[in-house]
Amino acid sequence: MKITSGATIPSVPVKLVTADGVSDTTSDAVLGSGKVVFFGVPGAFTPTCDTSHLPGFVAGADRIKALGVSRIVCGTVNDHHVTKAWGERSEALGKVDFIADYNGDLAEAIGLAVTIPGLGKRFARFAIILEDGIVQDVFVQDSAGVTVSGAPAIILAVEGQGTSVSA
């Protein structure tokens, strides 16, 4: 079942990829403190994720953080080596942290796992706003492209102008 407003982010083992390196941790340790924007992508280096979803958050990071967000985190069902290479190549590290959810366990735990032919289990495209580990809003992208789960929509939501929607 898809995670909803008011739910607590589950504790699932993940690899955290930051500008400081890679570490073993849990999803609640990464997402459970302060105001956090967590967005999930079907895969590192995949076309829409690489050219639209992640770049929007990288470009908007300063504005998002100026609105009181303490951390922006991108989740992907890739190993930490691929995730780190993507973060480095996209010049996202230092602006966006990454969760490498290699087996898709976190994707399953929050009810946002999808199976993509030829790629297997992945995150659906989404964004979640959390406050101290409690889900405030969930934005699931149910159509092609990046609209409700992208940085512009999340900026509006953080500013209090958006509402939970699925498109």
Side-chain angles (χ1 to χ4, degrees):
M1 189 159 98
K2 180 180 84 169
I3 199 163
T4 59
S5 295
T8 301
I9 200 74
S11 181
V12 176
V14 295
K15 296 272 190 187
L16 176 63
V17 179
T18 69
D20 295 327
V22 177
S23 59
D24 291 316
T25 187
T26 58
S27 52
D28 60 326
V30 175
L31 305 171
S33 180
K35 185 177 276 292
V36 177
V37 170
F38 174 44
F39 68 102
V41 298
F45 296 107
T46 57
T48 303
C49 307
D50 192 47
T51 62
S52 184
H53 209 177
L54 176 60
F57 281 99
V58 172
D62 290 339
R63 183 162 178 209
I64 292 168
K65 290 180 178 177
L67 294 170
V69 172
S70 55
R71 186 177 227 175
I72 303 167
V73 181
C74 176
T76 183
V77 180
N78 292 104
D79 68 68
H80 63 281
H81 301 291
V82 169
T83 304
K84 183 175 185 267
W86 189 41
E88 291 171 344
R89 204 266 302 143
S90 64
E91 299 181 358
L93 296 176
K95 295 182 178 186
V96 174
D97 294 335
F98 293 84
I99 286 177
D101 182 26
Y102 181 74
N103 291 315
D105 296 335
L106 177 57
E108 289 283 348
I110 63 173
L112 290 170
V114 296
T115 300
I116 298 175
L119 296 176
K121 185 189 325 180
R122 299 296 177 130
F123 274 115
R125 186 174 310 285
F126 70 87
I128 298 173
I129 300 170
L130 300 118
E131 184 77 45
D132 294 328
I134 306 298
V135 174
Q136 304 300 303
D137 254 321
V138 180
F139 303 85
V140 179
Q141 192 73 46
D142 289 338
S143 60
V146 178
T147 56
V148 300
S149 64
I154 299 312
I155 288 169
L156 289 175
V158 172
E159 289 175 337
Q161 299 171 3
T163 57
S164 292
V165 294
S166 292

